[in-house]
Amino acid sequence: MSNTPVSTHDGLVTFLPHRLNRQPVVVRGLTADELWICTGLSAAAGLALGLPLAWITRSIAMVPTLIVAGIALGIFAGGGFLRRQKRGRPDTWLYRQLQWWLALHYPALATLLGGRSLITRSGTWTTRRQAGPRPASRSAA
């Protein structure tokens, strides 16, 4: 342990814990919010597959079965995929990526979700400066 004090004589803390405001990892490297996103998308995919399959097989039990199977597969596969994508990136990377994608593809929806504040311009940036005369280089004489 270090010999430096963690508080001063007046009781103030002299260090700042850097993981204090981060969300804890819940399942397979996902935080609670990411887990809900993954679960919701997986359930929607299971519902979309379960409705036609229930109609073809004439069994309504296919709908909840495929929803549960979709959620399990989505958390397992999606959790591993998102964990690999998030590695080494800031905590808010996933949310900014979703906002950026919405701002590019669905601008009307992006205004409701705060994506309009993102810079989505692509191209070269200029400073509008004119190239002036360059100073003469020093030469060894």
Side-chain angles (χ1 to χ4, degrees):
M1 284 299 261
S2 172
N3 291 335
T4 59
V6 294
S7 65
T8 59
H9 67 284
D10 56 356
L12 296 176
V13 177
T14 59
F15 71 95
L16 292 175
H18 76 288
R19 291 185 176 237
L20 186 64
N21 292 326
R22 291 188 182 177
Q23 289 189 10
V25 172
V26 179
V27 175
R28 294 198 46 86
L30 301 174
T31 62
D33 291 340
E34 295 162 354
L35 181 64
W36 282 114
I37 291 170
C38 193
T39 301
L41 292 174
S42 301
L47 179 68
L49 289 174
L51 286 174
L53 195 59
W55 185 71
I56 291 171
T57 60
R58 302 210 191 311
S59 173
I60 193 69
M62 291 305 262
V63 176
T65 302
L66 284 181
I67 289 175
V68 170
I71 290 172
L73 183 66
I75 290 173
F76 182 76
F81 175 75
L82 280 176
R83 185 178 56 224
R84 285 189 301 274
Q85 294 298 313
K86 288 178 10 179
R87 187 170 290 138
R89 294 196 168 107
D91 293 338
T92 59
W93 172 81
L94 177 64
Y95 310 110
R96 296 297 172 256
Q97 279 293 109
L98 290 173
Q99 281 183 334
W100 174 75
W101 188 84
L102 284 172
L104 288 181
H105 294 93
Y106 301 102
L109 185 61
T111 57
L112 297 173
L113 300 176
R116 298 295 290 176
S117 62
L118 298 176
I119 299 173
T120 57
R121 180 188 185 279
S122 63
T124 57
W125 290 85
T126 62
T127 57
R128 295 191 177 120
R129 295 182 186 166
Q130 299 293 328
R134 294 184 183 212
S137 63
R138 290 183 154 175
S139 61

